[in-house]
């Protein structure tokens, strides 16, 4: 990073140096060419009688000026033949001839301009690499550009101002030849420069400023991309804090990366792979081709919006592929029994289809910066976020130890089995232990049964010092957490993510005695008021605010309905709620009064902004 900063500094210095030298060049040139004092020193006779507009040229066309075209042809750049000789006869020019001169002048202005732009660019590059020969070439080019630009502007001036063209041409020529200029001190402005020079200096200054701005802009974008790939840091918009999770039963919002920016749009199903009898991987690609239109962190999920049987539905699916893979994101979906969306994806979606997605979301991420080793514990399809972490860390040759304990029903249900074997063989820091809970009737030779304390201790040395990520069925996660705490792992070093409803829901919140429901009456139930929709309804103790909103037609966007994604966040305007899972809240949300409608229950009246 230091090297990067010093490179940035070098470039900035180069740009500033170029801008400064250009300005200095113009200032010196301007002073040299236009000071009346200097002129008076060389031509005391002429200094006393400054040339008048329209007066006769200082030198007759047939003399020095007569050879101007030829002489200029030996100078830098495309020889400015014809233009000055033509200008010499300006007063006698016909309308057509004037037009021609105007065109030529415009060409020179354009040509000179682009030469200068090229030269400044070349100068920047050569200055950065300290290539003095190239710098010299660039300055020669710059001078050529300036010459062309000046001749074009001079011609235009002569035509526009009706000034004696020979004077304009002569001034230019003398400057080029380092000869004292005519006595005319006209338009001498700030610091002895003519207005023209000030304008040119301003243009060049603005140009240098634009170049510097563009340089910084490019560097910032490059830094963001770098951060996204390396897992991010707290200082960039694509990054997130990776502090250890606070003690919590589920993933901690404090570890959230605001990192990957939220995106929504269509993704094309590029490939579908049958992983196990009931799990399919869907490879999702940019619908327009090229790289994915979003970036994400290992462990985040996407939300798909589909409408099986014209019923709009959303479900979340973790990205199992690695963020190092830019061209696609893969989700592995288990076909749940009777599952509407998983069934739709398995049975109706085919390669080439376009699906609506939003995301990435989620806080269950690990980028390798959090600690030097990681223990991943997965059950069933809960391996998806862990697989993303494993793929990402191995892709990046992360040097820390990676342990994966994976519990699955039968050997044929093992998702990513071949790849897990391969990664373990290829990366000495990867250890995969798979335990099969129903090995009966199979040729499984590995560990059997559920994940136990013994299996953890046997498989993971010094487990108490590990950072742990757990994802799987909720009962399995609860048991694993309990065992790890008993083995000395602080709860602050554990992160979990639930794919389904959480266990350990809060005690049912009953209406207060004063408001106890009388038989057949709903009046005494607490009421939830939706301030924006101006609707109210009773909130039974077994329902969450989102359920009631659905029932009475109040629209609250939602996705996972298990408190993980944060889509259903609404503001609590009055009253109090309890929530079984708060993972979807971001840091500071609680202080701002935000709640998750899919989790919020209340024992007294509440009002929310929805
Ligand atoms: C953050 C997050 C990430 C997820 N990542 C993945 C993933 O990578 N792969 C994946 O396959 N699923 C994942 N899920 C689960 C997924 O979102 C759906 O819940 C699941 O596909 C079932 O949806 P469905 O519409 O098919 O089932 P539904 O029609 O909603 O439910 C049908 C039946 O299945 C049961 N059911 C619903 N969800 C689950 C579940 N998760 N486990 C067990 N039973 C369930 C219901 O109780 C019901 O009986 C994730 C969920 C969340 C919140
Ligand atoms: S819908 Fe996902 S947190 Fe509520």
């Amino acid at each position: 990073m230091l090297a990067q900063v010093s490179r940035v500094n070098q470039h900035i210095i180069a740009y500033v140096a170029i801008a400064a030298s250009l300005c200095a060049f113009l200032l010196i040139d301007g002073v040299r060419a236009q000071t009346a004092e200097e002129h008076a020193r060389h031509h005391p006779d002429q200094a006393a009688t400054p040339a008048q507009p329209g007066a006769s040229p200082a030198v007759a066309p047939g003399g020095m000026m007569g050879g101007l075209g030829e002489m200029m042809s030996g100078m830098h750049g495309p020889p400015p033949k014809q233009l000055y000789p033509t200008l010499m006869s300006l007063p006698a020019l016909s309308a057509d001839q004037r037009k021609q001169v105007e065109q030529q002048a415009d060409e020179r202005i354009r040509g000179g301009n682009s030469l200068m732009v090229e030269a400044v660019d070349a100068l920047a590059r050569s200055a950065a690499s300290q290539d003095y020969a190239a710098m010299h070439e660039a300055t020669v080019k710059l001078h050529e550009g300036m010459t062309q630009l000046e001749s074009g502007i001079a011609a235009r001036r002569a035509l526009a101002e009706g000034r004696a063209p020979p004077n304009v041409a002569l001034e230019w020529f003398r400057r080029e030849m380092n000869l004292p200029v005519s006595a005319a001190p006209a338009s001498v402005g700030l610091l002895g420069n003519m207005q023209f020079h000030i304008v040119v200096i301003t243009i060049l200054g603005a140009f240098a400023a634009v170049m510097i701005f563009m340089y910084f802009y490019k560097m910032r974008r490059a830094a963001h991309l770098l951060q996204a790939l390396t897992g991010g840091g707290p200082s960039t918009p694509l990054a997130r804090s990776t502090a250890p999770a606070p003690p919590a039963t589920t993933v901690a919002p404090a570890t959230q990366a605001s990192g990957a920016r939220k995106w929504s749009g269509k993704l094309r199903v590029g490939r579908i792979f049958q992983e196990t009898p009931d799990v399919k991987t869907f490879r999702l690609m940019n619908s327009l081709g090229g790289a994915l239109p979003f970036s994400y962190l290992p462990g985040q999920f996407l939300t798909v919006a589909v409408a099986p049987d014209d019923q709009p539905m959303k479900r979340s699916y973790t990205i199992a592929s690695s963020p190092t893979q830019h061209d696609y994101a893969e989700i592995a979906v288990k076909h749940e029994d009777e599952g509407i969306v998983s069934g739709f994806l398995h049975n109706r979606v085919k390669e080439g289809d376009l699906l609506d997605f939003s995301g990435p979301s989620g806080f269950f991420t690990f980028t390798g910066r959090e600690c030097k080793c990681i223990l991943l514990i997965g059950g069933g399809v809960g391996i998806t976020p862990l697989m993303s972490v494993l793929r990402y860390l191995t892709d990046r040759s992360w040097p820390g130890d990676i342990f994966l304990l994976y519990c699955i029903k039968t050997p044929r249900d093992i998702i990513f089995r071949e790849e897990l074997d391969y990664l373990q063989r290829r990366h000495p820091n990867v250890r995969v232990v798979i335990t099969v809970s129903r090995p009966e009737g199979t040729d499984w030779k590995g560990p059997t049964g559920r994940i136990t304390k013994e299996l953890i201790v046997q498989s993971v040395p010094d487990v108490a010092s590990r950072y742990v990520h757990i994802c799987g069925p909720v009962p399995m996660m609860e048991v694993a957490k309990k065992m790890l705490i008993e083995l000395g792992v602080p709860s602050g070093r554990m992160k979990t993510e639930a794919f389904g409803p959480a266990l350990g829901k809060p005690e049912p919140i009953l209406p207060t005695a004063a408001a106890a429901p009388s038989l057949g009456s709903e009046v005494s139930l607490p009421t939830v008021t939706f301030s924006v929709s101006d609707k109210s309804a009773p909130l039974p103790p077994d329902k969450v605010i989102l359920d009631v909103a659905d029932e009475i037609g109040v629209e609250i966007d939602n996705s996972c309905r298990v408190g993980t994604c944060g889509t259903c966040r609404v503001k609590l305007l009055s009253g109090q709620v309890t929530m079984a899972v708060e993972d979807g809240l971001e840091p500071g949300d609680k202080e701002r009064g935000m709640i998750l409608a899919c989790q919020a229950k209340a024992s007294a009246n509440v009002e929310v902004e929805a």
Side-chain angles (χ1 to χ4, degrees):
M1 188 48 98
L2 275 176
Q4 205 183 11
V5 169
S6 86
R7 263 201 309 281
V8 171
N9 287 341
Q10 269 180 18
H11 283 263
I12 294 165
I13 290 164
Y15 279 121
V16 172
I18 291 161
S21 42
L22 282 172
C23 293
F25 165 73
L26 286 163
L27 281 167
I28 292 164
D29 189 52
V31 170
R32 192 190 70 223
Q34 275 109 45
T35 55
E37 292 84 349
E38 194 178 344
H39 171 80
R41 264 203 314 278
H42 291 280
H43 298 273
D45 51 340
Q46 286 178 23
T49 55
Q52 295 304 311
S56 307
V59 181
M64 191 172 179
M65 293 306 289
L68 185 59
E70 279 168 44
M71 289 176 76
M72 286 200 298
S73 70
M75 294 166 58
H76 312 291
K81 326 176 246 296
Q82 292 151 4
L83 182 58
Y84 278 113
T86 315
L87 281 173
M88 302 299 285
S89 53
L90 176 64
L93 290 179
S94 67
D96 275 349
Q97 284 171 321
R98 277 182 77 94
K99 215 171 196 167
Q100 261 183 2
V101 174
E102 276 172 13
Q103 272 173 4
Q104 282 180 24
D106 289 348
E107 268 167 32
R108 272 153 205 271
I109 290 172
R110 273 197 301 277
N113 232 342
S114 56
L115 257 184
M116 285 168 71
V117 169
E118 277 172 33
V120 170
D121 201 30
L123 201 49
R125 274 186 271 111
S126 50
S129 60
Q130 298 189 343
D131 182 350
Y132 297 108
M135 281 173 81
H136 177 73
E137 266 179 43
T139 50
V140 170
K141 205 174 196 179
L142 189 63
H143 195 253
E144 284 172 16
M146 179 72 77
T147 306
Q148 277 199 46
L149 182 66
E150 269 198 310
S151 69
I153 292 173
R156 269 301 199 168
R157 252 180 73 201
L159 292 170
E161 297 173 12
R163 283 189 62 198
N167 284 355
V168 177
L170 187 59
E171 271 176 28
W172 177 86
F173 173 73
R174 286 187 162 176
R175 270 203 311 280
E176 288 307 305
M177 301 305 291
N178 276 344
L179 295 173
V181 293
S182 73
S187 323
V188 173
L190 191 63
L191 299 173
N193 288 288
M194 291 177 69
Q195 300 303 333
F196 163 70
H197 280 87
I198 292 171
V199 170
V200 176
I201 288 170
T202 312
I203 291 170
L204 283 173
F207 176 74
V210 169
M211 294 287 281
I212 291 169
F213 170 80
M214 280 175 63
Y215 185 80
F216 271 110
Y217 180 74
K218 275 187 192 167
M219 291 303 293
R220 249 187 84 205
R221 276 188 62 82
H224 287 172
L225 282 172
L226 199 71
Q227 288 287 0
L229 286 178
T230 55
S235 59
T236 74
L238 285 178
R240 68 174 57 187
S241 158
T242 50
T249 53
T250 50
V251 60
T255 60
Q256 161 71 346
S258 53
R261 282 192 200 125
K262 280 276 171 77
W263 165 91
S264 66
K266 291 199 184 298
L267 292 175
R268 186 169 53 82
V269 179
R271 283 274 178 277
I272 301 176
F273 307 102
Q274 188 82 46
E275 303 284 1
T276 68
D278 57 6
V279 175
K280 277 184 181 177
T281 285
F282 296 81
R283 177 171 288 185
L284 308 167
M285 330 268 303
N286 188 331
S287 60
L288 303 172
L292 283 172
F294 57 86
S295 59
Y296 62 97
L297 295 170
Q300 287 195 298
F301 60 86
L302 293 174
T303 298
V304 66
V306 289
D309 305 321
D310 291 334
Q311 282 293 313
M313 289 187 178
K314 286 183 181 176
R315 295 288 185 274
S316 303
Y317 293 100
T318 307
I319 305 172
S321 51
S322 160
T324 48
Q325 178 56 256
H326 302 280
D327 283 357
Y328 60 78
E330 289 179 346
I331 54 170
V333 179
K334 181 181 174 199
H335 188 174
E336 300 290 348
D337 288 342
E338 314 281 316
I340 300 176
V341 175
S342 59
F344 175 83
L345 291 172
H346 270 253
N347 300 330
R348 308 259 292 274
V349 170
K350 47 191 193 316
E351 290 178 1
D353 284 357
L354 293 177
L355 294 175
D356 285 309
F357 281 91
S358 60
S361 318
F363 313 106
F364 189 58
T365 60
F366 184 83
T367 62
R369 292 186 166 200
E370 297 83 346
C371 64
K372 291 200 171 74
C373 62
I374 178 89
L375 166 57
L376 307 167
I377 299 182
V381 76
I383 194 173
T384 48
L386 313 181
M387 195 63 193
S388 180
V389 169
L390 181 58
R391 284 167 164 166
Y392 177 76
L393 295 178
T394 49
D395 275 358
R396 299 194 62 228
S397 304
W398 188 64
D401 291 333
I402 309 166
F403 296 93
L404 171 65
L405 291 189
Y406 182 30
C407 182
I408 195 78
K409 271 188 200 151
T410 72
R412 64 185 211 136
D413 294 323
I414 301 171
I415 312 169
F416 312 125
R417 185 173 183 174
E418 283 168 12
E419 193 177 342
L420 290 174
D421 281 349
Y422 171 80
L423 288 175
Q424 184 170 219
R425 278 201 313 275
R426 208 167 169 86
H427 298 269
N429 58 331
V430 174
R431 171 104 206 273
V432 179
V433 176
I434 302 176
T435 179
V436 170
S437 60
R438 290 190 202 153
E440 304 83 24
T442 71
D443 59 353
W444 180 250
K445 306 242 171 0
T448 54
R450 293 177 191 280
I451 294 174
T452 58
K453 242 200 245 186
E454 292 67 40
L455 185 69
I456 297 175
V457 173
Q458 273 169 24
S459 316
V460 188
D462 193 18
V463 67
S465 67
R466 310 289 169 182
Y467 198 93
V468 191
H469 275 212
I470 316 169
C471 186
V474 176
M476 175 227 130
M477 291 200 297
E478 294 294 327
V479 172
K481 267 191 301 186
K482 194 163 164 280
M483 290 186 302
L484 288 165
I485 287 172
E486 285 166 13
L487 289 169
V489 181
S491 57
R493 291 175 73 87
M494 287 184 239
K495 272 184 178 185
T496 62
E497 179 146 279
F499 284 0
L503 284 183
K505 293 189 176 154
E507 289 292 300
I509 302 161
L510 296 170
T512 56
S518 52
L519 274 178
S521 159
E522 285 187 9
V523 178
S524 52
L525 284 174
T527 299
V528 52
T529 302
F530 300 96
S531 66
V532 179
S533 326
D534 198 19
K535 288 184 179 173
S536 294
L539 178 59
D542 60 334
K543 292 207 166 156
V544 291
I545 289 177
L546 185 59
D547 295 333
V548 178
D550 284 348
E551 281 166 18
I552 62 170
V554 173
E555 205 164 299
I556 298 181
D557 199 11
N558 64 85
S559 167
C560 69
R561 296 187 87 106
V562 293
T564 311
C565 70
T567 314
C568 66
R569 283 172 3 187
V570 288
K571 186 158 191 173
L572 181 67
L573 298 175
S574 67
Q576 280 189 333
V577 299
T578 57
M579 291 179 282
V581 180
E582 300 177 357
D583 302 352
L585 289 179
E586 290 186 7
D589 266 0
K590 270 191 161 176
E591 292 70 30
R592 288 191 289 273
M594 302 303 286
I595 59 165
L596 298 172
C598 73
Q599 297 294 303
K601 295 184 169 188
S603 59
N605 293 349
V606 285
E607 184 177 8
V608 294
E609 197 176 55

